[in-house]
Amino acid sequence: MKKVFRRIGTLITTLFLLIVMAVIVDISNDDDTDVTSESMGEQTVENTTIPIEEKQQQETEEQVEESSSAEEEEVVEEPKAKSEEKHLETIVFTNKIGELEAEEVAKKVKERAEADWGSDYEMVKYQMENQTAAYQHLLSLEIDEEHEEVLLTDAYQEWIGEFDFEMIEYQYDNQMAAYEWVQNLNIDTDVKKEVLKNAQTNWGSDYEMVKYEYENQMKAYGEL
């Protein structure tokens, strides 16, 4: 019986030891699992944080590049806008009549009328009124095309020596009418093109003479 009890005691002791060892191994495994989990968690956080930081840095760099590019475009556009504005400002056509002093004009008109008619005061008055009306009309002209400036300047230079505003007005009106006539020509043949080109080469901005030569040349051509 004693042997039996000893064996039972030994088995109980052994079983107890096995249970204790099992508990110790389980605790050790739990600790390792926690450490591994914490390590993996930290690595995951690090792996997640690094791409986010890199993405933010990349976005910041892109924004800086876009800002720099926009500033460069503004720098390029500003001189261009100033250049266009300057170009528009320089295209200002001149009415030569506006350069004259009104008091000087009145004085010269009267002097010329008196020189032309002496004691014929009716004709002096008549000429002064006509010259003043022509002057006022020319002064009111809005010169906004190159050909208008050229034609008025030509007439001005031709007749201002005599302060003859009626003749300036007359020449300007006739030249403008001839200019419009030339612009409305139906140039549909090589002959017409050549005749008009020759007339313009010969007479330049004298459109009355361009018209005159063109008509005479085309009349002669039609009679051949």
Side-chain angles (χ1 to χ4, degrees), residues 2-17:
K2 290 180 179 180
K3 291 181 179 180
V4 171
F5 284 122
R6 286 178 182 175
R7 288 181 179 177
I8 291 172
T10 301
L11 288 172
I12 291 170
T13 301
T14 302
L15 180 61
F16 178 76
L17 291 172

Side-chain angles (χ1 to χ4, degrees), residues 97 100-118 123-136 138 159-168:
I97 306 302
L100 300 172
E101 294 290 339
E103 293 181 359
E104 181 68 11
V105 169
K107 178 182 176 182
K108 292 291 184 181
V109 165
K110 182 178 180 181
E111 288 177 354
R112 181 168 181 269
E114 289 175 342
D116 288 345
W117 299 103
M123 288 304 300
V124 170
K125 179 185 176 184
Y126 176 80
Q127 181 168 314
M128 287 178 61
E129 289 176 347
N130 287 349
Q131 288 289 345
T132 301
Y135 164 75
Q136 293 293 340
L138 292 169
W159 299 103
I160 194 59
E162 302 175 24
F163 273 79
D164 193 340
F165 295 102
E166 285 188 279
M167 286 305 301
I168 294 175

Side-chain angles (χ1 to χ4, degrees), residues 28-145:
S28 177
N29 288 338
D30 289 343
D31 291 340
D32 292 340
T33 301
D34 292 339
V35 170
T36 303
S37 297
E38 290 177 359
S39 177
M40 290 180 66
E42 292 176 357
Q43 184 176 1
T44 302
V45 171
E46 290 177 357
N47 292 337
T48 304
T49 304
I50 290 172
I52 291 174
E53 292 178 351
E54 291 179 352
K55 183 176 180 182
Q56 290 176 344
Q57 183 177 359
Q58 183 178 0
E59 290 177 351
T60 302
E61 291 176 353
E62 289 177 355
Q63 290 175 354
V64 171
E65 290 178 358
E66 290 177 358
S67 177
S68 299
S69 177
E71 290 177 356
E72 290 177 358
E73 289 179 359
E74 289 178 359
V75 170
V76 172
E77 290 294 331
E78 185 176 356
K80 182 179 179 182
K82 287 184 177 179
S83 177
E84 291 177 353
E85 183 178 353
K86 183 177 180 181
H87 178 68
L88 291 175
E89 289 178 353
T90 55
I91 304 179
V92 177
F93 300 103
T94 303
N95 182 334
K96 295 292 291 184
I97 306 302
E99 297 178 357
L100 300 172
E101 294 290 339
E103 293 181 359
E104 181 68 11
V105 169
K107 178 182 176 182
K108 292 291 184 181
V109 165
K110 182 178 180 181
E111 288 177 354
R112 181 168 181 269
E114 289 175 342
D116 288 345
W117 299 103
S119 60
D120 189 343
Y121 301 113
E122 186 176 3
M123 288 304 300
V124 170
K125 179 185 176 184
Y126 176 80
Q127 181 168 314
M128 287 178 61
E129 289 176 347
N130 287 349
Q131 288 289 345
T132 301
Y135 164 75
Q136 293 293 340
H137 173 247
L138 292 169
L139 186 63
S140 68
L141 290 175
E142 294 184 4
I143 307 300
D144 51 14
E145 297 288 344

